[in-house]
Amino acid sequence: IAAHDDRIKDLNNQADQFVEAQVWEAESINERKRTINERYEKIKELAVHRRNRLSEANTMHQFLRDIDDEEAWIKEKKLLVGSDDYGRDLTGVQNLRKKHKRLEAEIENHEPSIQAVHETGESLMAESNIGASDIRSRLDQLSQSWDELKDMATTRGQKLD
C-alpha cells in the first residue's frame, strides 16, 4: 500500500495541474481525485486494522503455544514426583532424596516462567476480548496443574524424608 503512495501523490499533482490549466471537465477531475484519495485513505485504515488484528492473533497463538509448553513441562514433572519408588535400601533412598531435592529446585526455578505466562494471559484479556473465556480457562487449568505439581512434590519429599 505504501508503494502506491508516490503514485497517488503524482496523480494528485497532475490533477491539480489540469484544474489550474482549466482543462475541460475540471470538476470531474476534482471529483475523481477526491474519490481516489478517499478510497486510498480507507484502504490504509483497513490495512492498519488488519495488521492490528493479525498482531493480536499472533500474540494469542504465541500465548497458547507457551501455555501448552508449560503444561507439557508440568505433566513431565508430575510423572517424576508421582513415582511410587521410595528406594529399597539406604543408598537408594539417599539417591532418591538427592534427585528429589534437584527436582524441587527445578520446580522452584521454573515458577517465573509460569508467572510470565499468567501475566501474558492477563494482559491479553485486558487488551482484547478475543478468546477471553478460553484464556481464562487455560490459565485456571495451568494454575491447578501447577498447584498439584507443587503439592505432589511436597508430599513425595515428606515421604522420602
Side-chain angles (χ1 to χ4, degrees):
I1 293 174
H4 293 288
D5 201 38
D6 289 338
R7 293 176 67 187
I8 296 294
K9 287 178 183 175
D10 290 343
L11 181 108
N12 285 333
N13 289 336
Q14 194 171 21
D16 289 341
Q17 289 173 359
F18 284 144
V19 170
E20 288 173 11
Q22 296 179 350
V23 176
W24 176 74
E25 294 192 20
E27 188 59 39
S28 173
I29 291 172
N30 269 336
E31 180 65 28
R32 286 184 181 202
K33 175 184 146 186
R34 191 178 82 256
T35 303
I36 288 171
N37 286 329
E38 287 173 358
R39 287 180 180 175
Y40 185 64
E41 291 302 317
K42 182 70 173 170
I43 286 173
K44 289 195 315 190
E45 288 173 18
L46 291 172
V48 167
H49 179 69
R50 182 180 173 128
R51 185 180 314 117
N52 291 341
R53 286 184 45 220
L54 286 172
S55 177
E56 285 178 3
N58 184 43
T59 304
M60 175 69 162
H61 287 289
Q62 179 67 42
F63 166 74
L64 292 175
R65 194 179 91 205
D66 290 348
I67 205 166
D68 285 342
D69 290 346
E70 294 305 327
E71 287 174 343
W73 187 89
I74 290 171
K75 186 176 181 182
E76 177 186 323
K77 299 308 173 194
K78 276 185 175 181
L79 289 174
L80 296 175
V81 297
S83 173
D84 291 334
D85 181 16
Y86 295 106
R88 288 182 231 156
D89 56 11
L90 181 61
T91 307
V93 172
Q94 288 174 338
N95 286 336
L96 286 175
R97 285 177 69 194
K98 286 179 186 177
K99 283 182 181 180
H100 186 73
K101 291 294 181 192
R102 285 193 302 266
L103 179 62
E104 283 180 329
E106 186 179 355
I107 290 171
E108 187 177 317
N109 291 334
H110 197 76
E111 189 148 11
S113 298
I114 300 291
Q115 201 60 32
V117 170
H118 267 278
E119 290 170 5
T120 302
E122 294 294 337
S123 67
L124 273 173
M125 288 188 301
E127 293 171 6
S128 170
N129 288 333
I130 298 175
S133 62
D134 185 38
I135 293 171
R136 173 54 53 208
S137 67
R138 295 291 302 271
L139 285 176
D140 291 344
Q141 181 181 351
L142 180 65
S143 292
Q144 181 181 356
S145 295
W146 181 248
D147 291 340
E148 287 173 2
L149 174 63
K150 290 195 299 187
D151 291 343
M152 290 171 73
T154 302
T155 303
R156 180 164 173 83
Q158 289 170 347
K159 287 180 180 179
L160 286 171
D161 287 340

